Amino acid sequence: MGAKEPCYITESKLKCKKRGMNPHEVASPKIFMTEQDLQLKRKSYSEILSVVSFFSHKLLDSLKGTPLLIVISDAEGYLLDMVGDEAIKSTVNQFGIKQGSLFTQEDTGTNVISLSLQQRHPITLIGEQHYHTFLYNIACYGAAFHYTDEDNLLGSVCIMMPINYQNPLFLTMLSQVVDSIERELLLRKQNRKLNIMNQIMLSRTRNGIVITDEKGYTIEFNEFAEKISNNSRNSVIGRRIYESELTGKYFKKVIEHGEKYENVELKFLNKNGEQVVCLFDAQQIYEEDKLVGAFGQFRDITDRYLIEEKYNYLAYHDDLTGLPNRRFIQKEMNSLIQTFTEEKKSKFAILYLDLDRFKVVNDTFGHSNGDVFLIEVSKRLMNCLGLNDILARMGGDEFIFLLKDFDDNHYVIETAEKILKQFKYPFTVNSNEFHTTVSIGIAIYPSTYIPLERFMIYADTAMYKAKSQGKNEYVVYTADLLNNSIEKLKLEIDLRKAIKNNELVLHYQPQVCIKTKKIVGVEALVRWQHPTLGLIYPNKFIELAEETGLITEIGEWVIEEACIQNKKWQESGIPSLQIAVNLSTQQFLKLNLVDFVKNILVKTKLNPKYLVLEITESMAMDYNYSINVLQELKKLGVCISIDDFGTGYSSLNYLKKFPLDYLKIDQSFVRDISLDENNVNIIKAIITLAHNLNLKVIAEGVETKEQLDILQKYNCDEIQGYLFSKPLSASHFERTLPKLLTEINNIYLRG
C-alpha cells in the first residue's frame, strides 16, 4: 500500500517486460566507445566535465561519510565519468558499468540515466522501482542538464547509493547542483562568445570585474566589484593589484607566470561585517599574441554557499530536535579515540538511552504527537549536560550522551541518575498527559584501545540489560553482559536452524462455547523443541525472532502447519473446529500476506471458514492499510479476530468498519474479575460493544469456575483457558478429546 510509482517508471518497466527482459538476470550495457572515441568525447566535453566535476565534488564533500557514486553521462547516455565511493564503483564495474558504456532501456532496462535524459525534471528510482531485481538494494537520483539559453540537452548527473541511505534531501541537493551547473555552463558559454569588452559589460554585469595592465596596475574596477570588496573605484584604479590581500598573489602568478585560475573560493567580510563568498577567476589578456594585462572576475555565491552550509549542518544534526545526530557523535568519538591512541588518554564515556514504551505513545497519540514528545524529551535531557558533554539523537527514540574530560567515574553515574529524575514527571503533548521512563546503558572507555564499534556494542548491550531488568534504570557495562549477548547470538543461530530442521511444533488450546459446552475451536500456539535445551516457550524466543526478522518465516510456518493439522482432524472424523493463528506485526504488514493465505488454503484444501487470523489493536492503527488487507482476507472466507482487546487503542469508528468476527478479551481483565469490580464493568462493556457490532466474544486466561460463572452471566460467547485445558500437542489433543469433553461438562455442573 505504498505510494504509487510515477507513470514513466511503470511505462519503462512494461516496455522491458514486452521485450522479454528477465528481471532476475543482470542487465549490462551492450555498446561501448573505443578508448580513442572516449578520449575524443571527453575532450569535446572537457569544459562541461570540469564544471560538472567541480560541483559533484562539492556535493561529495558535503555528504562525506555517505557511500554514494556520482555518474555523469552525455546527451546520448554514454557514461563519461564516475566519482565517489570506490567500493560502489568496483561493484558496478563488474556489471559493465564503466566509462564509455552506453545506457539504453533496450539494453539495461529501467535505469536512472535513460529516465533522467527523457524527463524534464529530477527523478528518483529506488528499490523495486527498478525492473531488474539485482538493483533492488540501490537508490538512484538523477537529473539532466542543459544549455538553458537554447534548451540544448547536454547530459545527466545521477547519484547511486545503498537503499538504506535513501533520503528525499538528496533529490533537493541534486537539483541545486544541476541548477549551479547550468548557470555556470551558461556563463562560460556567454563569456566565450563575447569579446573582452562585451564580456565585461561593466555597468550591467552582476559579476565583479577587475582588469590590470601588463605590469599589474589596475585599469578597470566595476561597480559590482566595489560592492563586493568594500573598495571604491577611485581608491583602486592606478594601484598595483599585487597589494591586494585578497587577490594580489593570484594576479601576480597570472601576470608573471602565466597561471590561470578558475572557481577559486574566496571568503571575506563586507562593510556590515557579513561574510561574503565568491568564486574568483583570473587569466592573462593577449592582443595579437602580446600580453597586455590580466582579467579577473568575482561571482557572488554567498546564498548558494549558505544553502550548502545548511545542508552540511543537516548532515550532522537531527532535523526534528536540532541535536547532533549519529554521524556527528561517531565523528566526535572517533576523534577522541584517535587522541587516546596518541597517549593523551582523556577520559570519556557514553550513556546510551532508549525510551521505554515509546511505541505506545506513537500508536496511541499518532506520529505527529510522537515527534512533539521527542522534542520535549530532548529539552529535558539538555538539562543534564555538563560543560564538556554532548547530547545526540541516534534516531527513533534513542539518544546518547558523550561525557568528556571528567575527573571521576562518579560523574558518569551522577549524570545517569540525573537523567532518570527527568522522567519522574509526566509529559504533556497537545493536552495529553502521560508518563514514560528511560533505560540507560553506560560504557566507560577502558584503559586500553578498543575500536568505536566495539565500544558502542558495550553501551548497547548494557542498555538492553537495563530494559530486561524492568526498565527505568541504568546498567554499567561489564564483560559478563557481553557474554550474555553472545549467548543470545548463539540462540539466534539455533533459531535459524530450528526452522530448517523442523524443530518448531504447535500446541493447541481448546476454545469452548459457553452455551453448548462444546469445543468449537482451538488456538495454535508455537513451541520450540530444542535438541539440547528441551521445549522452549514463545516468551523465550519470539522477541528474538522479531528482532532478527525471522518472525515472518515462523508465522508463515504456523499458518501452514495449523491448516494442515485442522484438515487432518476433519478427515479423521473429529468434528470440524475453527483454528486460530496469531499474526505478527511484521507478517501483517508484509505485502504478500493475502496471496500467501490464499495459496495455503488451496494447498491444504481447508475450508476458509475454519481459519481465524488474530491481529492486535496496535497492528490496525494504519486504517487505510488495515481496512484493505482485512477486506481482502475476508473475501477469501477466513475469520478475523482482534486479540488482547482492551490493552491497546482502538478507534470505535475504525472498529465498526473493520470486517471482524471476534473480539478476544485480554486475560489481564479476566484474571482479577472476581476481585475487581472495575474489571467486571470493563468486560461487560466489551461484550455489549461486541454484540452491538454483531461480533462474538472470546475470553482468554479463564482459570477458575468463578471467572466462568461471571463471564457466563454477561453472555460471553466462548471461553479459553487452563480451567478447561492447557495447550496440548496434536496427538495429545486427539487421544484425550472424549475425556476432555466430559471434564468440561463436569466443570459446568460444579457448584
Side-chain angles (χ1 to χ4, degrees):
M1 315 333 184
K4 186 177 180 182
E5 71 181 13
C7 60
Y8 56 86
I9 294 179
T10 303
E11 290 170 1
S12 172
K13 290 161 75 172
L14 285 173
K15 289 178 182 178
C16 294
K17 188 174 181 180
K18 288 179 181 178
R19 293 190 190 99
M21 299 180 80
N22 187 339
H24 303 300
E25 292 180 355
V26 175
S28 300
K30 302 294 189 299
I31 302 173
F32 299 87
M33 286 182 172
T34 66
E35 188 63 28
Q36 184 178 6
D37 288 341
L38 176 60
Q39 294 307 319
L40 288 173
K41 172 65 79 168
R42 284 180 58 84
K43 185 175 181 181
S44 67
Y45 260 63
S46 60
E47 183 178 58
I48 295 172
L49 285 174
S50 71
V51 172
V52 176
S53 177
F54 172 79
F55 289 103
S56 296
H57 280 91
K58 293 285 286 184
L59 179 61
L60 287 171
D61 287 342
S62 67
L63 295 172
K64 192 171 294 182
T66 303
L68 57 86
L69 184 69
I70 299 178
V71 296
I72 302 158
S73 80
D74 69 5
E76 298 176 82
Y78 280 100
L79 203 158
L80 300 182
D81 201 6
M82 295 191 297
V83 293
D85 189 88
E86 290 298 326
I88 300 178
K89 190 185 298 184
S90 175
T91 300
V92 299
N93 280 340
Q94 297 174 18
F95 301 137
I97 301 173
K98 58 184 179 180
Q99 290 184 15
S101 55
L102 175 63
F103 276 77
T104 65
Q105 293 197 67
E106 291 76 12
D107 292 338
T108 54
T110 304
N111 67 87
V112 69
I113 293 176
S114 298
L115 290 177
S116 296
L117 293 171
Q118 291 171 9
Q119 299 303 309
R120 300 291 302 179
H121 56 80
I123 69 159
T124 60
L125 190 61
I126 297 175
E128 294 185 8
Q129 291 180 335
H130 291 94
Y131 179 76
H132 288 92
T133 56
F134 78 99
L135 295 173
Y136 278 8
N137 289 324
I138 299 296
C140 299
Y141 304 85
F145 58 94
H146 310 71
Y147 274 136
T148 53
D149 58 334
E150 299 175 353
D151 198 26
N152 183 15
L153 180 64
L154 294 175
S156 70
V157 181
C158 304
I159 304 175
M160 300 170 61
M161 67 189 67
I163 194 169
N164 55 317
Y165 286 90
Q166 64 169 303
N167 192 319
L169 180 63
F170 292 128
L171 195 64
T172 303
M173 298 177 74
L174 183 60
S175 299
Q176 292 284 343
V177 167
V178 168
D179 180 62
S180 299
I181 289 170
E182 289 181 338
R183 285 191 282 115
E184 182 66 14
L185 287 174
L186 180 61
L187 177 63
R188 292 189 178 203
K189 180 179 178 183
Q190 291 171 339
N191 284 346
R192 286 197 304 272
K193 290 180 179 179
L194 301 173
N195 60 36
I196 292 177
M197 293 306 297
N198 288 334
Q199 284 180 41
I200 297 172
M201 293 290 291
L202 291 174
S203 62
R204 300 180 184 178
T205 182
R206 290 183 55 80
N207 294 340
I209 303 297
V210 182
I211 300 177
T212 74
D213 62 16
E214 72 278 11
K215 295 182 180 179
Y217 289 96
T218 306
I219 59 175
E220 193 51 73
F221 194 76
N222 75 342
E223 183 179 350
F224 203 71
E226 290 184 282
K227 291 180 180 179
I228 293 175
S229 67
N230 300 327
N231 293 313
S232 68
R233 187 172 187 276
N234 290 336
S235 68
V236 172
I237 295 295
R239 292 181 58 185
R240 210 172 192 194
I241 196 70
Y242 298 171
E243 298 173 10
S244 168
E245 293 182 2
L246 188 63
T247 61
K249 60 182 179 181
Y250 299 108
F251 274 103
K252 183 177 178 66
K253 290 180 179 179
V254 167
I255 294 172
E256 296 183 0
H257 303 287
E259 294 195 18
K260 182 179 180 180
Y261 293 96
E262 292 182 359
N263 300 316
V264 176
E265 194 175 273
L266 301 178
K267 300 176 185 177
F268 51 92
L269 300 179
N270 64 17
K271 61 183 178 182
N272 297 321
E274 302 165 334
Q275 186 178 58
V276 177
V277 184
C278 289
L279 291 182
F280 171 68
D281 303 331
Q283 64 184 46
Q284 293 179 330
I285 302 173
Y286 285 90
E287 190 175 284
E288 296 182 355
D289 297 329
K290 180 183 178 183
L291 177 67
V292 295
F295 163 80
Q297 71 171 352
F298 302 86
R299 280 161 288 137
D300 191 344
I301 61 163
T302 304
D303 291 342
R304 187 177 76 210
Y305 178 84
L306 293 176
I307 291 173
E308 290 176 354
E309 287 288 293
K310 181 179 179 180
Y311 287 146
N312 287 335
Y313 177 85
L314 291 175
Y316 285 97
H317 288 79
D318 173 46
D319 58 352
L320 176 65
T321 63
L323 295 174
N325 62 11
R326 179 187 296 271
R327 184 183 289 114
F328 181 96
I329 205 73
Q330 287 181 340
K331 183 180 178 183
E332 285 292 315
M333 285 192 285
N334 271 320
S335 177
L336 287 170
I337 291 173
Q338 181 64 35
T339 61
F340 181 94
T341 60
E342 293 170 357
E343 300 301 322
K344 296 181 182 177
K345 293 190 177 181
S346 57
K347 294 178 72 70
F348 69 97
I350 53 175
L351 281 64
Y352 203 99
L353 281 60
D354 185 271
L355 302 181
D356 302 325
R357 301 176 65 250
F358 176 67
K359 185 178 184 301
V360 175
V361 176
N362 260 349
D363 290 346
T364 305
F365 298 101
H367 288 278
S368 59
N369 283 327
D371 287 346
V372 175
F373 169 69
L374 289 172
I375 293 171
E376 293 303 311
V377 168
S378 67
K379 289 178 181 177
R380 289 199 190 177
L381 293 178
M382 290 287 287
N383 296 330
C384 304
L385 282 173
L387 185 63
N388 299 316
D389 303 338
I390 298 174
L391 169 64
R393 182 184 176 210
M394 299 296 281
D397 60 345
E398 296 179 347
F399 296 82
I400 193 167
F401 277 80
L402 173 60
L403 312 183
K404 302 183 294 181
D405 299 325
F406 48 84
D407 296 325
D408 190 278
N409 289 348
H410 288 302
Y411 174 75
V412 180
I413 304 304
E414 289 170 0
T415 302
E417 291 173 346
K418 191 184 298 183
I419 293 169
L420 292 177
K421 289 179 182 177
Q422 294 296 318
F423 291 84
K424 284 188 174 181
Y425 309 101
F427 290 84
T428 302
V429 176
N430 293 338
S431 302
N432 298 308
E433 187 177 281
F434 49 90
H435 289 263
T436 191
T437 54
V438 64
S439 298
I440 307 172
I442 299 175
I444 300 172
Y445 198 82
S447 57
T448 56
Y449 167 78
I450 60 169
L452 173 61
E453 184 176 6
R454 190 187 304 174
F455 187 48
M456 292 292 289
I457 289 172
Y458 289 175
D460 191 57
T461 301
M463 184 269 290
Y464 276 106
K465 182 64 176 177
K467 277 193 174 296
S468 69
Q469 293 182 171
K471 307 175 182 179
N472 192 31
E473 63 175 284
Y474 64 83
V475 170
V476 181
Y477 169 79
T478 64
D480 289 341
L481 291 180
L482 189 58
N483 292 335
N484 292 336
S485 294
I486 293 171
E487 289 300 318
K488 185 177 179 182
L489 180 59
K490 290 179 180 177
L491 193 64
E492 178 189 340
I493 294 170
D494 286 350
L495 184 57
R496 293 184 186 276
K497 292 178 182 177
I499 299 170
K500 294 178 181 178
N501 297 337
N502 295 318
E503 295 171 8
L504 298 179
V505 294
L506 290 183
H507 285 193
Y508 303 90
Q509 188 170 38
Q511 296 170 331
V512 179
C513 175
I514 208 163
K515 292 180 180 177
T516 66
K517 307 176 183 62
K518 302 294 184 183
I519 296 176
V520 292
V522 293
E523 181 178 4
L525 300 164
V526 68
R527 306 287 190 262
W528 177 9
Q529 189 64 53
H530 193 282
T532 58
L533 301 177
L535 191 66
I536 301 178
Y537 285 83
N539 62 315
K540 299 293 185 181
F541 67 88
I542 288 298
E543 184 177 347
L544 177 62
E546 290 173 341
E547 290 176 10
T548 57
L550 293 171
I551 191 65
T552 299
E553 190 175 352
I554 292 174
E556 291 177 348
W557 177 86
V558 170
I559 292 175
E560 182 172 5
E561 182 66 19
C563 290
I564 291 172
Q565 184 60 62
N566 203 5
K567 187 64 178 176
K568 284 181 181 178
W569 283 338
Q570 291 178 4
E571 292 174 347
S572 69
I574 291 177
S576 297
L577 303 171
Q578 286 188 317
I579 194 160
V581 176
N582 290 287
L583 292 178
S584 69
T585 301
Q586 294 178 33
Q587 198 174 3
F588 184 66
L589 296 176
K590 194 172 181 182
L591 296 180
N592 72 341
L593 173 63
V594 177
D595 288 338
F596 174 79
V597 174
K598 179 180 178 182
N599 292 336
I600 292 300
L601 291 170
V602 171
K603 178 179 176 181
T604 60
K605 298 180 182 179
L606 180 70
N607 189 322
K609 70 180 182 180
Y610 294 117
L611 176 63
V612 181
L613 298 177
E614 297 187 352
I615 65 170
T616 62
E617 294 175 87
S618 61
M619 286 162 59
M621 286 301 98
D622 185 340
Y623 173 76
N624 292 329
Y625 176 86
S626 300
I627 191 71
N628 287 332
V629 173
L630 295 177
Q631 286 175 347
E632 291 298 313
L633 289 171
K634 284 299 293 181
K635 288 178 183 178
L636 298 180
V638 304
C639 298
I640 307 295
S641 173
I642 291 282
D643 194 15
D644 300 334
F645 186 78
T647 61
Y649 171 78
S650 292
S651 165
L652 296 184
N653 185 46
Y654 289 178
L655 201 62
K656 179 178 67 175
K657 295 180 180 179
F658 284 155
L660 303 174
D661 300 282
Y662 298 95
L663 291 186
K664 199 168 188 181
I665 301 175
D666 185 68
Q667 60 183 330
S668 62
F669 297 114
V670 175
R671 185 182 303 116
D672 298 324
I673 192 173
S674 59
L675 304 174
D676 190 339
E677 186 66 25
N678 289 330
N679 280 1
V680 174
N681 292 331
I682 290 172
I683 287 176
K684 285 168 56 179
I686 292 174
I687 294 173
T688 302
L689 169 67
H691 288 168
N692 287 338
L693 295 174
N694 296 316
L695 306 178
K696 289 186 176 181
V697 181
I698 302 175
E700 63 179 344
V702 179
E703 297 181 354
T704 68
K705 180 66 164 56
E706 190 174 5
Q707 292 169 346
L708 172 62
D709 292 341
I710 295 172
L711 291 165
Q712 190 173 22
K713 176 182 177 181
Y714 295 112
N715 298 317
C716 183
D717 298 291
E718 296 176 19
I719 299 297
Q720 177 182 338
Y722 276 66
L723 174 65
F724 295 135
S725 173
K726 67 179 181 179
L728 306 170
S729 67
S731 59
H732 193 180
F733 178 76
E734 294 166 10
R735 290 195 311 272
T736 60
L737 183 57
K739 181 181 178 183
L740 188 58
L741 291 171
T742 301
E743 290 177 352
I744 291 171
N745 276 302
N746 291 337
I747 290 170
Y748 274 96
L749 293 173
R750 266 192 245 149

